[in-house]
Amino acid sequence: MPSELVGKLRYFSDWLPEQEARELFETFLDTLPWKQRTIRMFGKEVLEPRLCCWVGDPGANYKYSGRTNTPMNWTKELSQLRHRLQEEFSIPVNSVLANLYRDGADSMGWHSDNEPELGVEATIFSVSLGGERRFWLKHKQYDTYRTSLEHGSLLVMSGDLQLQWKHSIPKETKTTNPRINLTFRNVLS
């Protein structure tokens, strides 16, 4: 059962059964074409601190850090997760950003998913597979919320959350387990 945590944030700790989550983790780890791309940060070209793969419908292009990401075709497993999300939440999904955090040295800095092609009140479905990682959420003016994202969990960010809050996956030096994060969304054309 979902619990309302902060604003438009809902967390389902066991959205996927353990066995299914483990099988999906292994499948995605072995089959997705993971890439570490360069991004522009503070005027410099740097390597992203994780590996990524963009998947979606034709035309679901996503601009990030000055680069247009053209999606690869849906895999059977990603398509099944997409349909489950759409059925459970009645919200369209046409793309997913898959992130592979190889260990605790991989991270994602403070940001909001507020790109224009996501719309004003975007819904982001974040499915976590593999190693548990900390998730930090802070209001742009005050408050910080911290939790851990568990294997098989689903975090739903919606409403004006991306306008009011930033989130991150910080580095964790003692973490050695890889984690895959799937952020399903609907890119507007």
Side-chain angles (χ1 to χ4, degrees):
M1 198 65 166
S3 60
E4 198 74 24
L5 296 178
V6 179
K8 301 288 182 171
L9 181 73
R10 290 181 291 166
Y11 184 66
F12 303 78
S13 62
D14 54 357
W15 188 69
L16 290 171
E18 172 66 31
Q19 181 66 24
E20 181 183 0
R22 189 173 336 126
E23 289 171 3
L24 286 171
F25 175 80
E26 293 298 330
T27 297
F28 296 142
L29 188 63
D30 293 339
T31 62
L32 289 180
W34 299 107
K35 294 181 183 171
Q36 186 174 27
R37 302 167 303 177
T38 58
I39 56 172
R40 181 167 290 284
M41 287 184 63
F42 309 111
K44 292 182 175 183
E45 295 283 325
V46 298
L47 287 174
E48 283 182 302
R50 64 197 174 289
L51 304 180
C52 298
C53 177
W54 180 249
V55 176
D57 294 349
N61 300 324
Y62 186 64
K63 293 180 184 170
Y64 173 71
S65 187
R67 168 178 301 188
T68 299
N69 296 291
T70 303
M72 64 171 261
N73 293 329
W74 290 94
T75 67
K76 178 183 79 172
E77 296 83 7
L78 286 172
S79 185
Q80 289 170 343
L81 289 174
R82 167 197 190 181
H83 290 299
R84 179 175 172 189
L85 289 165
Q86 290 179 136
E87 285 180 14
E88 285 185 30
F89 295 94
S90 300
I91 294 173
V93 170
N94 66 4
S95 53
V96 58
L97 176 62
N99 294 294
L100 171 58
Y101 298 87
R102 296 162 288 189
D103 56 32
D106 284 356
S107 63
M108 182 64 193
W110 288 108
H111 71 287
S112 296
D113 294 317
N114 58 359
E115 291 79 9
E117 61 264 39
L118 295 179
V120 177
E121 292 191 348
T123 298
I124 308 291
F125 298 102
S126 176
V127 177
S128 293
L129 302 168
E132 188 172 312
R133 287 295 296 268
R134 291 182 293 163
F135 176 80
W136 291 2
L137 183 74
K138 73 176 176 179
H139 193 274
K140 291 182 179 179
Q141 295 178 354
Y142 57 86
D143 286 345
T144 299
Y145 173 78
R146 297 174 183 175
T147 191
S148 291
L149 300 176
E150 301 164 286
H151 176 62
S153 68
L154 171 66
L155 180 74
V156 181
M157 298 180 281
S158 61
D160 65 355
L161 187 93
Q162 301 299 331
L163 300 175
Q164 303 296 324
W165 297 79
K166 291 185 176 193
H167 55 278
S168 74
I169 301 290
K171 292 184 185 299
E172 295 185 54
T173 55
K174 294 181 181 176
T175 298
T176 59
N177 294 328
R179 171 185 182 255
I180 293 175
N181 177 240
L182 308 169
T183 54
F184 292 85
R185 58 197 73 204
N186 194 53
V187 173
L188 306 174
S189 47

